[in-house]
């Protein structure tokens, strides 16, 4: 999509997004749903064609549904059946199977896909929103504070023409080598994890007849991973020795010793080498994610080792967390304290997932030959640990920490900051559809007329949890009568005093333009 001439020099846009990958396009789509004028500036004209991310969970799938692409994503993805831990001889040490049925979030817990296909889908979906514009083949050269906003100096890579754009907000979604991060003076803090891995993508029209889950080779000598990505796409990842590089594996004959356990009986002629590349898996997080109205999202803010498949998903979580806060702040409803909550909530959540990825990676691959021997001895017995199997296969991520938009108390810490179940309601719609893009009050109590007016005046919707329903049982388990659900599905606050909870709903218009005077946030 081209940008109107008005945006080719010195013009203003509400939100400028630097980087048109999955995180940037997700943020642009969410903002467009709130009627926010958004411009995506992407260095490359086309989607990068090589496979990269291959997994997302049901929580992130829920974000795709919010974008309006759930059905289309289902057509290009496949549920994974869990995790199988094997040794170098392919002996199964442990298996953690997942039911491919829908979870509390309304989607399969683990989903495999091809990133270029997803990116094309996201970009095409963005064209549905006239207030979101995509400008490819454009490089951002400089970002600086300006009167009443942030100024970006940009250049068309094809012709070299430079121009300037002023934005109210700038989102840095420009990856691990982010110039936005450099511009705001943020630095990456290392998690002291750097491993070089070989990544292999192969196409094959024949079924390899392997277990339809992720295979993790738990071997300190040559750790590895195998997974089926699509109908005819397969991915392998292998740790490289210190003396090895991608140059040692230029073709299928060189790769055969690595992939042979999964491709026996399949001729080279039936295998298409789509890509072989060397990646350094790192654990890093930026020391700050915001400077004024400039924010970092995705790989610009954090890098997660791939052992739990949360790298790309973390960026989409960033976008989902921030977009509605910018919408509320831009309309004058809230002060910058709400924008502060973005880093407060997301940075800790990301650190926890990075820590989990490191723990899983070390547990599966570290310790030399002694570690390999211990895994061979202990892993076949992990099913004897009460509750461990359920914990490993549970896709639920940690709760968000307390912030102006998460009010946790000793009595509600198990529910506040977590996603509300996206249950199927009696109306035939799921909770997210019923609540829409604003706030919701989920309650087992019938609201009084005064309570209903209070909720409606704040632009929120009410969902009644009838006795015996999944939603009512969820509230009952947490010993609360109602919960206020944020636009991203997270519980802001919960409790038994329904009137107090109705008053706690922030004023927020769904996707309607801001009207009338500004309102203060309830906390202020």
């Amino acid at each position: 999509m081209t940008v109107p001439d008005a945006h080719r020099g010195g013009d203003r846009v509400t939100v400028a997004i630097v980087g048109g990958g999955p995180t940037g396009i997700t943020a642009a789509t969410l903002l467009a749903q709130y009627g926010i004028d958004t411009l995506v500036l992407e260095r490359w004209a086309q989607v990068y064609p090589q496979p990269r991310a291959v997994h997302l969970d049901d929580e992130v799938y829920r974000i795709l549904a919010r974008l309006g692409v759930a059905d289309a994503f289902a057509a290009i993805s496949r549920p994974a059946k869990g995790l199988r831990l094997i040794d170098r001889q392919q002996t199964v040490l442990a298996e953690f199977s997942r039911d491919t049925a829908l979870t509390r979030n309304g989607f399969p817990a683990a989903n495999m896909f091809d990133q270029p296909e997803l990116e094309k889908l996201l970009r095409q979906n963005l064209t549905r929103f006239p207030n979101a514009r995509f400008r490819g083949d454009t490089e951002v050269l400089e970002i600086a504070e300006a009167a009443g906003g942030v100024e970006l100096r940009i250049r068309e890579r094809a012709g070299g023409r430079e121009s300037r754009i002023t934005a109210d907000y700038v989102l840095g979604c420009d990856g691990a080598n982010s110039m936005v991060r450099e511009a705001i003076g943020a630095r990456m803090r290392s998690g002291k994890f750097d491993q070089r891995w070989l990544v292999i993508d192969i196409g094959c029209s024949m079924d390899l007849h392997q277990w339809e889950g992720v295979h993790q080779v738990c071997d300190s000598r040559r750790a590895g991973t195998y997974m089926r990505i699509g109908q005819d796409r397969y991915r392998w990842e292998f740790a490289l020795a210190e003396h090895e590089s991608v140059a040692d594996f230029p073709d299928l004959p060189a790769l055969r010793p690595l992939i042979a356990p999964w491709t026996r009986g399949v001729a080279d002629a039936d295998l298409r080498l789509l890509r072989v590349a060397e990646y350094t898996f790192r654990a890093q997080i930026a020391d700050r994610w915001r400077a004024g109205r400039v924010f970092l999202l995705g790989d610009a803010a954090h890098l997660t080792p791939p052992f739990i498949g949360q790298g790309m998903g973390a960026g989409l979580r960033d976008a989902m967390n921030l977009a509605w806060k910018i919408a509320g702040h831009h309309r004058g409803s809230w002060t910058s304290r709400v924008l502060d909550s973005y880093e407060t909530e997301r940075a800790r959540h990301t650190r926890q997932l990075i820590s989990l990825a490191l723990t899983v990676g070390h547990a599966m691959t570290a310790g030399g030959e002694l570690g390999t021997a211990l895994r061979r001895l202990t892993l076949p017995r992990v099913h004897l640990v009460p509750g461990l199997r359920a914990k490993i296969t549970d896709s639920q991520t940690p709760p968000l920490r307390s912030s102006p938009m998460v009010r946790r108390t000793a009595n509600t810490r198990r529910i506040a900051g977590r996603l509300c179940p996206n249950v199927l309601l009696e109306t035939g719609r799921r909770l997210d559809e019923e609540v829409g893009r604003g706030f919701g009050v989920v309650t087992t109590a019938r609201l009084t007329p005064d309570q209903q007016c209070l909720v409606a005046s704040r632009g929120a919707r009410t969902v009644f949890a009838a006795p015996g329903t999944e939603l009512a049982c969820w509230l009952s388990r947490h010993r609360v009568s109602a919960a206020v659900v944020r636009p991203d599905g997270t519980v802001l606050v919960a409790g038994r005093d329904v009137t107090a909870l109705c008053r706690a709903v922030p004023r927020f218009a769904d996707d309607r333009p801001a009207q009338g005077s500004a309102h203060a946030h309830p906390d202020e």
Side-chain angles (χ1 to χ4, degrees):
M1 179 185 295
T2 60
V3 182
D5 290 341
H7 286 276
R8 295 191 179 278
D11 200 31
R12 190 178 192 95
V13 65
T14 305
V15 180
I17 298 177
V18 184
T23 299
I25 298 299
T26 296
T29 307
L30 293 168
L31 288 163
Q33 290 177 341
Y34 289 116
I36 302 296
D37 183 32
T38 305
L39 174 63
V40 180
L41 301 166
E42 166 56 38
R43 178 179 175 83
W44 306 107
Q46 304 296 330
V47 167
Y48 183 68
Q50 297 293 348
R52 284 158 292 157
V54 295
H55 168 271
L56 58 81
D57 63 22
D58 53 329
E59 293 184 354
V60 179
Y61 205 145
R62 194 168 167 178
I63 298 173
L64 296 183
R66 169 67 174 274
L67 302 180
V69 299
D71 291 342
F73 178 71
I76 64 169
S77 63
R78 62 188 298 121
K81 292 186 176 179
L83 174 67
R84 177 177 281 180
L85 307 180
I86 59 178
D87 64 14
R88 67 182 65 148
Q89 285 80 37
Q90 300 291 300
T91 302
V92 177
L93 304 175
E95 182 175 302
F96 303 94
S97 297
R98 272 197 178 110
D99 190 343
T100 55
L102 307 186
T103 71
R104 60 182 166 266
N105 287 304
F107 303 100
N111 305 274
M112 314 306 295
F113 65 96
D114 177 53
Q115 183 171 336
E117 286 187 305
L118 175 59
E119 289 198 46
K120 291 175 184 176
L121 175 63
L122 293 176
R123 288 195 186 183
Q124 179 60 37
N125 183 61
L126 185 66
T127 64
R128 297 192 298 116
F129 302 93
N131 55 336
R133 295 171 292 277
F134 180 90
R135 185 170 176 178
D137 212 22
T138 302
E139 188 175 14
V140 178
L141 303 176
E142 184 181 6
I143 297 175
E145 290 187 12
V150 182
E151 187 176 80
L152 300 90
R153 183 166 64 92
I154 64 176
R155 179 173 60 200
E156 297 174 357
R157 296 181 69 242
R161 180 184 175 187
E162 292 191 11
S163 58
R164 295 178 184 271
I165 292 172
T166 302
D168 294 326
Y169 309 85
V170 172
L171 308 189
C173 306
D174 51 339
N177 298 315
S178 170
M179 67 81 55
V180 179
R181 184 179 65 236
E182 182 177 352
I184 68 172
R187 297 289 181 269
M188 280 296 206
R189 291 177 176 171
S190 174
K192 298 180 180 179
F193 179 88
D194 293 89
Q195 284 188 2
R196 294 184 310 116
W197 282 60
L198 191 72
V199 178
I200 307 160
D201 288 286
I202 285 180
C204 181
S205 58
M206 299 176 60
D207 193 328
L208 299 187
H209 300 292
Q210 299 293 329
W211 182 70
E212 293 288 325
V214 177
H215 301 205
Q216 177 64 49
V217 183
C218 300
D219 182 14
S220 56
R221 185 190 305 172
R222 176 78 82 186
T225 307
Y226 158 83
M227 61 203 93
R228 185 174 186 172
I229 306 305
Q231 186 63 29
D232 59 353
R233 302 286 290 271
Y234 300 87
R235 159 74 60 90
W236 285 266
E237 298 170 354
F238 294 100
L240 287 168
E242 188 173 338
H243 64 280
E244 293 178 322
S245 73
V246 67
D248 298 313
F249 304 93
D251 49 31
L252 276 172
L255 292 168
R256 268 293 190 178
L258 297 178
I259 67 174
W262 296 272
T263 59
R264 290 190 179 93
V266 181
D268 281 2
D270 295 316
L271 300 174
R272 292 177 290 112
L273 182 58
L274 304 175
R275 180 188 68 153
V276 57
E278 179 180 326
Y279 277 87
T280 300
F281 295 158
R282 291 190 171 95
Q284 295 182 342
I285 189 165
D287 56 3
R288 61 174 175 149
W289 295 28
R290 177 190 175 201
R293 293 192 177 191
V294 181
F295 301 82
L296 301 179
L297 295 81
D299 287 356
H302 44 74
L303 295 173
T304 306
F307 300 113
I308 57 174
Q310 288 290 337
M312 189 196 79
L316 270 63
R317 294 177 198 273
D318 293 344
M320 189 68 171
N321 186 286
L322 181 59
W324 59 274
K325 295 175 181 177
I326 287 179
H329 182 266
H330 177 66
R331 291 170 181 167
S333 298
W334 306 328
T335 72
S336 61
R337 292 181 61 233
V338 173
L339 298 182
D340 291 337
S341 72
Y342 164 64
E343 181 176 348
T344 299
E345 295 172 2
R346 288 295 304 134
R348 183 180 183 224
H349 187 269
T350 302
R351 280 193 294 269
Q352 289 174 304
L353 289 183
I354 289 175
S355 178
L356 177 60
L358 292 175
T359 299
V360 170
H362 286 308
M364 293 180 178
T365 64
E369 290 301 318
L370 176 59
T372 299
L374 288 173
R375 282 186 285 271
R376 191 178 297 118
L377 177 66
T378 60
L379 287 178
R381 295 169 173 79
V382 295
H383 69 280
L384 300 176
V385 180
L388 181 60
R389 178 176 296 274
K391 190 172 183 62
I392 290 176
T393 57
D394 185 5
S395 59
Q396 182 173 244
T397 59
L400 302 181
R401 68 180 301 178
S402 296
S403 78
M405 283 293 177
V406 175
R407 304 179 204 171
R408 303 178 70 193
T409 66
N411 294 329
T412 64
R413 61 186 178 84
R414 295 185 182 276
I415 184 171
R418 290 196 180 276
L419 283 174
C420 178
N422 188 26
V423 300
L424 189 64
L425 303 172
E426 294 177 343
T427 60
R429 305 204 305 172
R430 290 199 173 272
L431 180 81
D432 287 352
E433 299 173 277
E434 199 74 22
V435 171
R437 293 186 284 269
F439 286 82
V441 175
V442 178
T443 175
T444 56
R446 294 286 187 183
L447 299 190
T448 67
D450 286 346
Q451 291 170 337
Q452 290 173 351
C453 288
L454 182 58
V455 171
S457 71
R458 294 167 187 258
R461 301 181 185 179
T462 303
V463 177
F464 175 64
T469 61
E470 185 177 351
L471 203 54
C473 292
W474 170 71
L475 292 168
S476 177
R477 282 198 306 274
H478 293 288
R479 299 179 181 179
V480 297
S481 302
V484 178
V485 181
R486 310 188 323 183
D488 59 2
T490 302
V491 175
L492 185 155
V493 63
R496 292 180 177 275
D497 188 337
V498 177
T499 298
L501 291 174
C502 292
R503 290 180 180 142
V505 178
R507 297 184 185 276
F508 184 80
D510 186 341
D511 55 352
R512 297 177 292 275
Q515 296 178 350
S517 60
H519 301 282
H521 186 273
D523 278 351
E524 298 167 359

